Amino acid sequence: MKISIVKERRPHETRVAATPETVKKLKALGAEITIEAGAGTAAAYTDQAYADAGATIVPDAAAAFAAGDIVFKIQRPMSAAEGTDELALLRQGQTLMSPLGALVNKDLVQALASRGVTSFALELIPRITRAQSMDILSSQANLAGYKAVLLAANNYGRIFPQMMTPGGTLAPSRTFIMGVGVAGLQAIATARRLGSVVTATDVRPATKEQVQSLGAKFVAVEDEEFKAAETAGGYAKEMSAEYRAKQAALVADHIKLQDIVITTALIPGRKAPVLVSEDMVKTMKPGSVIVDMAVEQGGNCPLSEYGRVVEKYGVKIVGPANLPGELATDASSLFSRNLLNFITPMVDKETKALTINLEDEVVKGTLVTRDGQIVHPSLVQQS
C-alpha cells in the first residue's frame, strides 16, 4: 500500500493531509509514504520532520501522484481551468481520499469516474458514533468556530469583557451566534471565555439545552415546526417560508442590540441560507461586526464578500476564506488523524493492502466513484 500526500495549491489553503505523527502510524499499518517537498511548510511541518518519520520526499506534484496507489488531499483536485491540472495527474485504479464537495461539484465527480479513479468524499462521512473520529467536518468546524470569534475581536473596536477601571466601567460586548452546530458551540464557548454576553439561535430544538449548558441564552421561535426541524443525521432541515418569516422578525429585533454576530448555518449540498439581511445590517450599531462563516457557500449575509472585510452601513462584515487554514498546524493535525482513522479499518491486517468493504456503512456513505462509475446513491439519483 503506497500513500502519497501532495502540496495543496488552492488559494488560501495552508493545511496538509498528513503530519509526521500520522506518517509514523501509517507506516505501522504497512504503508509506504511519499510526500511532495514543501507540502507541510505552511503548517509548520518540515520536509526533514517527514523524512525522519519515514516518508520519502519527492520534488514535485507529478512525482508524488505517480508514487501512490492512494492519494490523501485536504482540498478537491484542481482542473486545468482552475490553473493547475491535478486531475490529469490521477490515473486509472488510483484511490483518492479527500473532501470533494461531491453533492455540488458534479463535473469533478464525473471526471474522476471517467479517469477510473476510486474516490471517497470525506465530507460525506456519516454522522454515526463509530465514525466520529473520522469526521473532518466536525474537527475543522471546531477550530473554525474558535477562530471566528478571534477574528471578530480583532475587527471590533472595543473590548469583549466587562472591565472596571479607575476611569470607569466598560460594559461587556454582546455576541449573537447564528447556527449552533460544532462551529457555533465552539464560538459560544470562546466568546464566553473572552467575557462577552452571548446569545445563540438554531432551528434544531436539541441545541437549546446545549446553548444553555455553555452559559448562553437561546433565541428562537419555538413552535411546532421548530420541534420537528432536525434530520436523522443531525443536520438542520430547510424551514418553511412562514417559519423563516417569524424567525427573521425575532432575529431582526434581537440583532439591533448586538455588537458581534457570527453566522455558521450551512445546508449540505445547498446554497447557504440568508440569516442576516441587508435591512438587518442597517439596524445594527455602528462599529458592530459580522463574521460570515458560510461565505464560501454563498453566505448567510448577502453583503459578505469571500476573503474580504467590507464595511457596510457602519458595520464590518468579515468573509473569511479558510478559517481552519488560519490554524494550519492544529487543523492539519486533526484532519490527518481523521484520515488515519478513516483508512485504518480498510487495511487488511495480513496483506497490508487496502480492502474496500462495500457493505460497511462508512464506505457506503463516502464512496463516490469506482470502476469508472458514479456509485454514491445520492449522486446516482441526481444523474
Side-chain angles (χ1 to χ4, degrees), residues 79-94:
S79 66
E82 293 172 304
T84 301
D85 195 353
E86 293 178 313
L87 279 171
L89 298 176
L90 288 162
R91 65 179 184 274
Q92 184 172 352
Q94 211 163 24

Side-chain angles (χ1 to χ4, degrees), residues 24 87 106 121 198 205 207 348 381:
K24 290 178 183 177
L87 279 171
K106 310 291 176 55
V198 183
T207 60
D348 186 281
Q381 291 167 12

Side-chain angles (χ1 to χ4, degrees), residues 369-382:
T369 62
R370 189 168 190 252
D371 296 330
Q373 302 293 320
I374 297 172
V375 298
H376 194 279
S378 297
L379 297 167
V380 171
Q381 291 167 12
Q382 291 173 14

Side-chain angles (χ1 to χ4, degrees), residues 166-204:
T169 299
L170 297 172
S173 62
R174 294 182 177 273
T175 299
F176 184 35
I177 311 296
M178 303 184 74
V180 189
V182 173
L185 289 169
Q186 184 57 247
I188 291 169
T190 303
R192 288 273 297 151
R193 285 195 292 266
L194 289 178
S196 192
V197 176
V198 183
T199 54
T201 189
D202 197 288
V203 298
R204 296 167 298 164

